[in-house]
mmCIF file of all heavy atoms in Angstrom:
data_model
loop_
_atom_site.group_PDB
_atom_site.id
_atom_site.type_symbol
_atom_site.label_atom_id
_atom_site.label_comp_id
_atom_site.label_asym_id
_atom_site.label_seq_id
_atom_site.Cartn_x
_atom_site.Cartn_y
_atom_site.Cartn_z
ATOM 1 N N GLU A 158 25.518 -16.276 10.479
ATOM 2 C CA GLU A 158 25.537 -17.025 9.223
ATOM 3 C C GLU A 158 25.491 -18.591 9.427
ATOM 4 O O GLU A 158 24.890 -19.253 8.734
ATOM 5 C CB GLU A 158 26.693 -16.613 8.176
ATOM 6 C CG GLU A 158 26.646 -15.131 7.803
ATOM 7 C CD GLU A 158 27.654 -14.772 6.906
ATOM 8 O OE1 GLU A 158 28.749 -15.486 6.817
ATOM 9 O OE2 GLU A 158 27.594 -13.728 6.149
ATOM 10 N N ASN A 159 26.312 -19.059 10.397
ATOM 11 C CA ASN A 159 26.333 -20.409 10.573
ATOM 12 C C ASN A 159 25.061 -20.998 11.194
ATOM 13 O O ASN A 159 24.791 -22.207 11.150
ATOM 14 C CB ASN A 159 27.564 -20.844 11.566
ATOM 15 C CG ASN A 159 28.933 -20.596 10.996
ATOM 16 O OD1 ASN A 159 29.059 -20.610 9.649
ATOM 17 N ND2 ASN A 159 29.995 -20.421 11.738
ATOM 18 N N SER A 160 24.318 -20.116 11.822
ATOM 19 C CA SER A 160 23.006 -20.498 12.383
ATOM 20 C C SER A 160 21.881 -20.801 11.459
ATOM 21 O O SER A 160 20.947 -21.520 11.738
ATOM 22 C CB SER A 160 22.519 -19.449 13.469
ATOM 23 O OG SER A 160 22.109 -18.301 12.681
ATOM 24 N N ASN A 161 22.074 -20.218 10.174
ATOM 25 C CA ASN A 161 21.021 -20.402 9.182
ATOM 26 C C ASN A 161 19.647 -19.870 9.681
ATOM 27 O O ASN A 161 18.739 -20.276 9.263
ATOM 28 C CB ASN A 161 20.898 -21.705 8.612
ATOM 29 C CG ASN A 161 22.001 -22.207 7.746
ATOM 30 O OD1 ASN A 161 22.638 -21.371 7.035
ATOM 31 N ND2 ASN A 161 22.343 -23.481 7.719
ATOM 32 N N GLY A 162 19.739 -19.012 10.750
ATOM 33 C CA GLY A 162 18.546 -18.455 11.347
ATOM 34 C C GLY A 162 17.891 -17.254 10.605
ATOM 35 O O GLY A 162 16.823 -16.866 10.895
ATOM 36 N N GLY A 163 18.605 -16.710 9.619
ATOM 37 C CA GLY A 163 18.050 -15.565 8.917
ATOM 38 C C GLY A 163 17.699 -14.417 9.767
ATOM 39 O O GLY A 163 18.388 -14.003 10.754
ATOM 40 N N VAL A 164 16.475 -13.935 9.601
ATOM 41 C CA VAL A 164 16.033 -12.617 10.360
ATOM 42 C C VAL A 164 15.767 -13.029 11.805
ATOM 43 O O VAL A 164 16.027 -12.208 12.702
ATOM 44 C CB VAL A 164 14.696 -12.218 9.714
ATOM 45 C CG1 VAL A 164 13.530 -13.173 10.000
ATOM 46 C CG2 VAL A 164 14.343 -10.889 10.266
ATOM 47 N N GLN A 165 15.492 -14.263 12.184
ATOM 48 C CA GLN A 165 15.273 -14.629 13.533
ATOM 49 C C GLN A 165 16.667 -14.616 14.312
ATOM 50 O O GLN A 165 16.706 -14.197 15.471
ATOM 51 C CB GLN A 165 14.735 -16.007 13.722
ATOM 52 C CG GLN A 165 14.463 -16.570 15.129
ATOM 53 C CD GLN A 165 13.521 -15.552 15.842
ATOM 54 O OE1 GLN A 165 12.685 -15.020 15.219
ATOM 55 N NE2 GLN A 165 13.687 -15.431 17.225
ATOM 56 N N ALA A 166 17.754 -14.907 13.658
ATOM 57 C CA ALA A 166 19.101 -14.888 14.231
ATOM 58 C C ALA A 166 19.371 -13.359 14.567
ATOM 59 O O ALA A 166 19.999 -13.098 15.547
ATOM 60 C CB ALA A 166 20.126 -15.581 13.307
ATOM 61 N N SER A 167 19.077 -12.406 13.503
ATOM 62 C CA SER A 167 19.433 -11.093 13.766
ATOM 63 C C SER A 167 18.601 -10.547 14.933
ATOM 64 O O SER A 167 19.137 -9.739 15.765
ATOM 65 C CB SER A 167 18.985 -10.362 12.437
ATOM 66 O OG SER A 167 19.786 -10.744 11.427
ATOM 67 N N ALA A 168 17.324 -11.101 15.086
ATOM 68 C CA ALA A 168 16.476 -10.609 16.225
ATOM 69 C C ALA A 168 17.155 -11.159 17.528
ATOM 70 O O ALA A 168 16.994 -10.270 18.515
ATOM 71 C CB ALA A 168 15.113 -11.086 16.067
ATOM 72 N N GLU A 169 17.739 -12.346 17.575
ATOM 73 C CA GLU A 169 18.356 -12.794 18.864
ATOM 74 C C GLU A 169 19.514 -11.920 19.167
ATOM 75 O O GLU A 169 19.679 -11.565 20.409
ATOM 76 C CB GLU A 169 18.811 -14.260 18.547
ATOM 77 C CG GLU A 169 17.611 -15.258 18.425
ATOM 78 C CD GLU A 169 17.015 -15.491 19.769
ATOM 79 O OE1 GLU A 169 17.464 -15.243 20.835
ATOM 80 O OE2 GLU A 169 15.774 -16.038 19.721
ATOM 81 N N PHE A 170 20.258 -11.590 18.199
ATOM 82 C CA PHE A 170 21.549 -10.671 18.517
ATOM 83 C C PHE A 170 21.089 -9.328 19.053
ATOM 84 O O PHE A 170 21.642 -8.905 20.036
ATOM 85 C CB PHE A 170 22.331 -10.527 17.268
ATOM 86 C CG PHE A 170 23.421 -9.507 17.483
ATOM 87 C CD1 PHE A 170 24.474 -9.678 18.245
ATOM 88 C CD2 PHE A 170 23.223 -8.326 16.694
ATOM 89 C CE1 PHE A 170 25.369 -8.662 18.430
ATOM 90 C CE2 PHE A 170 24.267 -7.272 16.774
ATOM 91 C CZ PHE A 170 25.325 -7.461 17.724
ATOM 92 N N ILE A 171 19.983 -8.805 18.401
ATOM 93 C CA ILE A 171 19.538 -7.465 18.897
ATOM 94 C C ILE A 171 19.045 -7.580 20.344
ATOM 95 O O ILE A 171 19.266 -6.649 21.123
ATOM 96 C CB ILE A 171 18.523 -6.904 17.963
ATOM 97 C CG1 ILE A 171 19.069 -6.628 16.619
ATOM 98 C CG2 ILE A 171 17.754 -5.680 18.468
ATOM 99 C CD1 ILE A 171 18.046 -6.273 15.540
ATOM 100 N N ASP A 172 18.301 -8.626 20.670
ATOM 101 C CA ASP A 172 17.798 -8.870 21.924
ATOM 102 C C ASP A 172 18.896 -8.988 23.029
ATOM 103 O O ASP A 172 18.894 -8.394 24.060
ATOM 104 C CB ASP A 172 16.887 -10.043 22.083
ATOM 105 C CG ASP A 172 16.243 -10.301 23.387
ATOM 106 O OD1 ASP A 172 15.560 -9.308 23.832
ATOM 107 O OD2 ASP A 172 16.489 -11.361 23.965
ATOM 108 N N VAL A 173 19.955 -9.744 22.607
ATOM 109 C CA VAL A 173 21.207 -9.867 23.500
ATOM 110 C C VAL A 173 21.813 -8.615 23.705
ATOM 111 O O VAL A 173 22.144 -8.294 24.896
ATOM 112 C CB VAL A 173 22.112 -10.921 22.937
ATOM 113 C CG1 VAL A 173 23.445 -10.990 23.580
ATOM 114 C CG2 VAL A 173 21.549 -12.281 22.981
#
Side-chain angles (χ1 to χ4, degrees):
E158 291 180 344
N159 289 341
S160 71
N161 286 331
V164 68
Q165 182 61 32
S167 297
E169 290 287 341
F170 168 68
I171 293 173
D172 184 59
V173 169

